[in-house]
Every structure is written in C-alpha cells, then in structure tokens.
Amino acid sequence: HSIKYARTLMAELVPPELHQSGLQAAIRWLADNMAKQHGLTVDLRLDPEPLNLAQHQAVFLYRCVRELLINVVKHAGVDRAIVTLTVDAEQRLVLTVEDHGRGYDPAVKVPSGDEHFGLLSIRERLDSIGGWLTEDSAIGKGTTSTLGLYLSEPALQSSLRVARSSVSGDRVEQTRTELQAQERLPLE
C-alpha cells in the first residue's frame, strides 16, 4: 500500500501529463482528478496555444492551480470551480481559479502566521520570479484568485520601466488595474 500511495501522491504533485503534453494537459488531468476525488467539477477555459515554459515553471504553476482548487474544496462550500488560462498581449500568462462559494472579507486581516501556508508560499515564490497573486473575494460572493507570470524577460523589464515611470512625486493617479499591477511587481 505504501508504494501505491507514494505513486498516487507523486502523480498528483507532478502528473506525467505535465512532462508529456504540457501545462494545459496537466490542468485537464487535475480537473478530472478533482471531480473523482473531491466531487469538484472544474470548468476549464484554457488557451489552446502551446506554452513555452521551462519545466520548473510548468511544475510550479500546476502546483499553484492544485493548491487553489484544494482551497475551493476546503473553504468555498461549492462543487464547481472555473480555471482560466490565457496569455495576454504583453506576454503575461494569467491563471485564474474562481468559485461562487462562501468567499471572505479581504478587509479582515489574517493574524500573522495564520495565513494558509500554501497561499503564502505561492505569493512569495511568484514575487521572487516577477509574478503576482491577487485575490478578489466578498462574503457570499465567492473568490477569484489570479496569478500571473511574465513569459519573457523583455516583457517583465518593460513592465518594470512603466511601473517606475508612472510614479511622479507624492501624487499618483492610476486605475485600479494599474495599481494592482504595481503591487504585483518586485521592488528594486
């Protein structure tokens, strides 16, 4: 039983589909597995174009989606979630996990040390590689977790230059999207 359990666990953490067919195939496998193991139906909206990701990036992003779906199972109180994967014009890979469950009040700060380790780990790792994680939630309205990663170094550097040049003096006028984008960028 121990060997079978270890193999099952390894397949969940890094499914063979990830190495064989890429991130989108691994997310499809994960969606099927979430339905079988947890009764969570995952609607997929995946960009059909193959992604040019390093293996470590694909593994990390897969694990992020898995962690976010496990959070839906544990906390949302629903049997359905949506996973969206797109690449925008700025060469940013954007992954969204959305549910219409319990949600939470983002204004209520989680005491230090009480934040879920998985989300903290995801946020720190994404920050370290120029990515981001945002969560949009309200009690009774569900939660949308969005993570992103620049697919090319020039796109990341261009974004950093724009973020730096948009600040002038003490007064900053930005749209909500621009502000969120700056919050996601590492400080230099």
Side-chain angles (χ1 to χ4, degrees):
H1 290 294
S2 297
I3 292 174
K4 184 178 180 183
Y5 173 75
R7 286 182 180 151
T8 301
L9 182 59
M10 287 303 297
E12 286 179 25
L13 293 175
V14 184
E17 289 78 2
L18 186 60
H19 299 293
Q20 296 165 359
S21 304
L23 183 59
Q24 292 99 319
I27 292 173
R28 282 190 286 277
W29 179 88
L30 177 62
D32 186 51
N33 195 41
M34 294 301 287
K36 289 176 186 172
Q37 288 194 342
H38 303 286
L40 181 69
T41 300
V42 182
D43 297 328
L44 298 174
R45 300 171 185 164
L46 306 177
D47 191 325
E49 295 297 317
L51 298 171
N52 185 19
L53 294 172
Q55 191 64 35
H56 71 277
Q57 290 175 314
V59 169
F60 173 65
L61 292 170
Y62 168 82
R63 288 182 179 165
C64 290
V65 173
R66 182 180 178 277
E67 177 68 26
L68 294 169
L69 288 173
I70 293 293
N71 284 350
V72 171
V73 169
K74 288 180 181 178
H75 305 294
V78 294
D79 62 359
R80 181 170 234 97
I82 302 165
V83 173
T84 305
L85 182 151
T86 59
V87 176
D88 68 15
E90 297 172 10
Q91 288 301 294
R92 294 181 302 185
L93 180 144
V94 179
L95 265 165
T96 303
V97 176
E98 177 183 353
D99 69 69
H100 298 283
R102 290 186 186 107
Y104 66 93
D105 182 354
V108 176
K109 295 293 181 195
V110 176
S112 182
D114 286 353
E115 183 177 1
H116 189 271
F117 176 76
L119 289 179
L120 181 62
S121 176
I122 289 171
R123 186 172 283 112
E124 287 176 352
R125 175 83 190 274
L126 282 166
D127 285 348
S128 76
I129 59 175
W132 67 90
L133 171 66
T134 61
E135 291 189 281
D136 184 22
S137 189
I139 294 175
K141 304 281 186 186
T143 300
T144 300
S145 300
T146 303
L147 60 91
L149 183 66
Y150 285 93
L151 294 177
S152 68
E153 186 64 24
L156 173 60
Q157 293 306 320
S158 172
S159 176
L160 289 171
R161 279 193 299 278
V162 168
R164 282 190 216 109
S165 68
S166 68
V167 178
S168 61
D170 289 47
R171 188 174 172 140
V172 179
E173 294 182 5
Q174 300 167 316
T175 64
R176 179 175 178 229
T177 303
E178 290 170 329
L179 182 58
Q180 288 175 338
Q182 279 197 352
E183 290 172 351
R184 295 186 297 249
L185 296 173
L187 298 175
E188 292 187 325

